[in-house]
Amino acid sequence: MAKPGQSRLRRPHGRWSLVQLSPVILTVVIAGLAYSTPPDMAFSRILPAAPALAAAMWPVLPTVLLGTVCFLLMIGLSLVFPGLGAWYTVAGIVAVTVAAAYGSHVRLQREQSLFQVRLVAEAAQQVVLSPMPRRFGGIEIESLYLAAAAEARIGGDFYEVADTRFGVRLLIGDVRGKGLPAVGTAAAVVNSFREAAYDEPDLGGIARRLEASSSRYNAAFSPEDLAERFSTAVLVEIPHEDSRIKILNCGHPPPLLLSRDGLRVLHPTDPSPLLNLAGLIGDCYSTDTFDYAVDDQLLLYTDGVTEARDRNGEFFPLTDWMRRQAPVRPRELLDGLHRDLLRYSSRGLDDDLAALAVRLRDSPDPPPDDRKDPHGDRKDPPADQRDRSA
């Protein structure tokens, strides 16, 4: 789980120390066997394996030093056991040490390049999934993002929240595909939402702005691929002084609303077109309205949640899982979802996933006229609301 502003590019320590010492251990074991066994068993001939192993995990200088130690050990064994034929092994140690030093140098260069690429990817994550306040008036919101690949920083899933004069507006979506094109599309959609959410009076207008941004970005790619370059998304509006939620669904998994009366799956009455496909199937957008009560919990998610599989290939039963949840804070809900998803998908996640948990409460503060000037800076939230966990 990624936390904005916190680097995950850390080298392991402690539990890997024994592995890092394995070349030394191998050297000691080989030297001991060569000294304590009959010369015809010739354990000394595998001494070149030690510097070769060191090249996989050590810098150049320690690798060369270990090769030198193996060289001196072999000379010493040849003095203890004349006729051992040590000169062939000595030549092998020298050749392997030189090759191992070069291999270590190349490996370190590649690791450094990969480290820089990961830093850039992490910076891209901060652009697409920027930090947001945990609370907007009487509405608590928390986010979760998990990458399918252990070393991934960001994918095609995206989300954003804006507190506007129309209410708190949320966006969550998923770009088809992976890699840089998916990240670019996600960035285009999120950036468009950050502007449109404060200007457009209805969700349909926001959806049209997102469609235009997605289409402009994807126009740079081959026309044959345009039908395959689309995004699903859900737009949500929670008015400041109303107990009804507005939802516009562009082919995305339906949100879940957990209340005292049970769980509701908020299916759209008329699905709206997926982003980047309105030119093919029309731009008729439909907004649905749903009632909510204080302490109801709303869960928005991408298909990576529902498509997580167990060992038998069964999908994660999100609706059943949600029905079993007690009224808790959004952070606790997402922590539980994170834990149960990892436990359920023992083989690992097949796709990136994102989720937003929203708890609806009585607003202690009067609604503002506007929380951000579209042409200015966003007003800073209180200090204890500036960070979020994802």
Side-chain angles (χ1 to χ4, degrees), residues 78-164:
S78 67
L79 296 177
V80 176
F81 302 105
L84 190 61
W87 300 112
Y88 295 103
T89 305
V90 167
I93 291 174
V94 172
V96 170
T97 300
V98 172
Y102 177 74
S104 176
H105 173 70
V106 172
R107 175 181 58 81
L108 289 174
Q109 284 188 323
R110 291 180 176 176
E111 286 182 354
Q112 182 64 27
S113 298
L114 181 59
F115 184 81
Q116 295 299 326
V117 169
R118 290 174 181 172
L119 287 178
V120 173
E122 194 163 272
Q125 184 189 49
Q126 297 299 313
V127 172
V128 179
L129 307 179
S130 62
M132 65 180 182
R134 289 194 177 111
R135 184 159 180 166
F136 298 86
I139 302 172
E140 294 181 64
I141 303 176
E142 291 284 355
S143 58
L144 171 69
Y145 180 85
L146 290 176
E151 297 302 323
R153 294 294 176 265
I154 192 169
D157 292 7
F158 56 88
Y159 55 80
E160 186 56 283
V161 179
D163 191 8
T164 74

Side-chain angles (χ1 to χ4, degrees), residues 223-237:
E224 290 78 9
D225 298 336
L226 289 182
E228 298 296 324
R229 296 185 178 278
F230 59 83
S231 308
T232 64
V234 165
L235 290 165
V236 178
E237 180 179 298

Side-chain angles (χ1 to χ4, degrees), residues 186-378:
V189 172
V190 169
N191 288 331
S192 178
F193 174 81
R194 288 169 181 162
E195 293 298 323
Y198 298 95
D199 299 333
E200 298 294 338
D202 59 77
L203 296 182
I206 298 177
R208 290 181 177 87
R209 294 270 291 271
L210 302 186
E211 167 70 21
S213 295
S214 178
S215 299
R216 282 195 298 268
Y217 176 82
N218 287 291
F221 297 94
S222 172
E224 290 78 9
D225 298 336
L226 289 182
E228 298 296 324
R229 296 185 178 278
F230 59 83
S231 308
T232 64
V234 165
L235 290 165
V236 178
E237 180 179 298
I238 307 174
H240 293 295
E241 296 181 334
D242 196 356
S243 59
R244 297 174 68 83
I245 301 175
K246 298 179 181 179
I247 297 180
L248 189 153
N249 193 323
C250 297
H252 197 76
L256 303 179
L257 183 64
L258 182 63
S259 65
R260 296 185 182 91
D261 298 328
L263 180 70
R264 283 191 291 168
V265 182
L266 306 184
H267 291 287
T269 304
D270 296 307
S272 300
L274 282 67
L275 301 182
N276 202 46
L277 294 184
L280 299 177
I281 60 179
D283 62 346
C284 182
Y285 295 98
S286 174
T287 301
D288 294 285
T289 304
F290 302 92
D291 295 327
Y292 78 87
V294 174
D295 286 335
D296 283 1
Q297 292 182 332
L298 180 68
L299 181 66
L300 311 175
Y301 56 93
T302 60
D303 58 8
V305 176
T306 53
E307 293 180 1
R309 298 172 182 261
D310 63 7
R311 295 179 180 178
N312 300 321
E314 299 292 332
F315 292 119
F316 182 72
L318 179 62
T319 53
D320 293 337
W321 179 89
M322 190 70 175
R323 286 192 182 96
R324 297 193 299 267
Q325 302 310 303
V328 295
R329 299 180 69 91
R331 181 73 270 153
E332 297 175 33
L333 181 70
L334 291 183
D335 286 345
L337 179 61
H338 178 201
R339 180 184 62 251
D340 293 342
L341 275 172
L342 295 181
R343 182 183 302 147
Y344 186 85
S345 56
S346 55
R347 298 181 302 174
L349 299 173
D350 297 325
D351 194 7
D352 302 333
L353 63 89
L356 290 175
V358 184
R359 186 182 184 187
L360 310 173
R361 307 184 65 183
D362 285 327
S363 176
D365 304 318
D369 293 332
D370 199 350
R371 299 300 175 92
K372 180 197 176 201
D373 181 353
H375 305 290
D377 295 328
R378 184 188 305 223

